[in-house]
Amino acid sequence: MKGVTVVTHPLVQHKLTIMRKKETSTAGFRRLLREISLLLCYEVTRDLELTTVEIETPLAIMQAPTLEGKKLVFASVLRAGNGLLDGMLDLVPAARVAHIGLYRDHDTLQAVEYFFKAPSDLGDRLVIVVDPMLATGNSAIAAVEKLKSRGATNIRYLCLLAAPEGIKAFTEALPDVPVFTAAIDEKLNEKGYIVPGLGDAGDRMYGTK
Ligand code: URA
C-alpha cells in the first residue's frame, strides 16, 4: 500500500500479540507498549540524515556519524498517544513534544479538539504524530491538519494498529504523510473499534474501564 509501512519485525509482532490478549494486565500492556514504541521509533526514524563530526576516542581522532539538522517533534494525540510517546522519548531524549487533545464524539465518531500545545517552529522540524489506534482516521486527520495549520510541512504518522477504513481515509486526505503501523486489522465495528484489535488503548493502558 502506497505510503504505508507495516513494521513486521518479529519482536514487534510478538509483543503486539500479547497486548491484544484480553487477559493482559494494565501493567503488562503499558510495559509492552513502551517496549514496542522503541522498535517502532527505530523504524520511523530509519532514514534520518546523518552528517559527520570530529571526535576523539581514547585511541584516535575520527569522523563519526551524528544526526543532521534540527531536532524532532513527537506529537502525541491525547491520551493514548502518550503510551507511545514515553518510549520514543527514551530513544530520542532531545526531541520536542507537541500535545494534541482530541476526543471522539461517541455518536458521530468525529474528532473534537480540546487542547493544543506545540513548539512554535514546527515548519523547521520533522513532526512524528503518535497515536496507537488509527480507526476511522478522523482524529488522525484532524491532528495532522492542525499541525499543518501551525506550519508543519514534514510529517509522519505512527500508530500501533490500523483499520483498513482508517488507512484509506488518511492516505486519501493526506497523501504526503507516510504512515507506519505494526498491523492492519480486518475492519472497524459499528462503534468505531478496530476488530480484532486490542480494545480501547487508553483504557487498557490506564486501567480506566
Ligand atoms: N481507539 C481505540 O482505543 N481502540 C479502537 O479499537 C479504536 C479506537
Side-chain angles (χ1 to χ4, degrees):
M1 212 176 295
K2 197 164 174 294
V4 180
T5 301
V6 179
V7 183
T8 56
H9 192 290
L11 283 174
V12 171
Q13 295 303 317
H14 179 81
K15 289 176 192 296
L16 177 57
T17 296
I18 304 171
M19 292 179 76
R20 287 180 187 274
K21 291 183 184 174
K22 64 178 182 188
E23 65 270 22
T24 296
S25 67
T26 300
F29 189 92
R30 213 162 29 216
R31 182 177 49 76
L32 285 156
L33 185 56
R34 196 183 189 100
E35 291 170 4
I36 234 174
S37 64
L38 299 176
L39 299 162
L40 294 174
C41 184
Y42 174 87
E43 199 59 42
V44 76
T45 56
R46 164 181 288 283
D47 63 350
L48 291 189
E49 290 201 8
L50 291 171
T51 184
T52 50
V53 61
E54 186 171 288
I55 61 163
E56 197 173 351
T57 79
L59 298 179
I61 290 175
M62 70 173 286
Q63 300 296 320
T66 185
L67 284 174
E68 155 128 295
K70 284 219 173 186
K71 291 187 177 61
L72 302 176
V73 172
F74 297 144
S76 171
V77 181
L78 301 174
R79 66 184 163 149
N82 281 2
L84 283 174
L85 176 68
D86 291 344
M88 302 210 20
L89 285 173
D90 284 349
L91 218 51
V92 191
R96 302 295 169 88
V97 177
H99 289 98
I100 307 166
L102 293 169
Y103 69 86
R104 265 207 308 186
D105 183 295
H106 280 298
D107 297 324
T108 65
L109 301 183
Q110 292 303 311
V112 183
E113 183 185 318
Y114 64 89
F115 185 79
F116 183 84
K117 188 85 183 168
S120 55
D121 54 354
L122 289 175
D124 299 333
R125 299 170 181 274
L126 168 62
V127 181
I128 301 176
V129 182
V130 297
D131 191 0
M133 311 298 271
L134 178 56
T136 60
N138 292 340
S139 308
I141 294 167
V144 171
E145 281 176 346
K146 178 76 185 194
L147 289 160
K148 284 190 171 188
S149 77
R150 295 296 179 97
T153 53
N154 190 5
I155 307 176
R156 299 177 185 185
Y157 188 86
L158 174 65
C159 60
L160 182 59
L161 269 187
E165 295 88 336
I167 293 272
K168 183 169 183 296
F170 188 91
T171 53
E172 280 176 11
L174 299 159
D176 57 321
V177 180
V179 176
F180 293 77
T181 182
I184 301 173
D185 273 12
E186 191 189 323
K187 62 176 181 184
L188 281 183
N189 71 11
E190 64 290 346
K191 290 187 172 149
Y193 280 89
I194 300 175
V195 179
L198 50 73
D200 186 297
D203 282 343
R204 295 213 52 193
M205 172 185 325
Y206 296 119
T208 42
K209 197 140 207 172

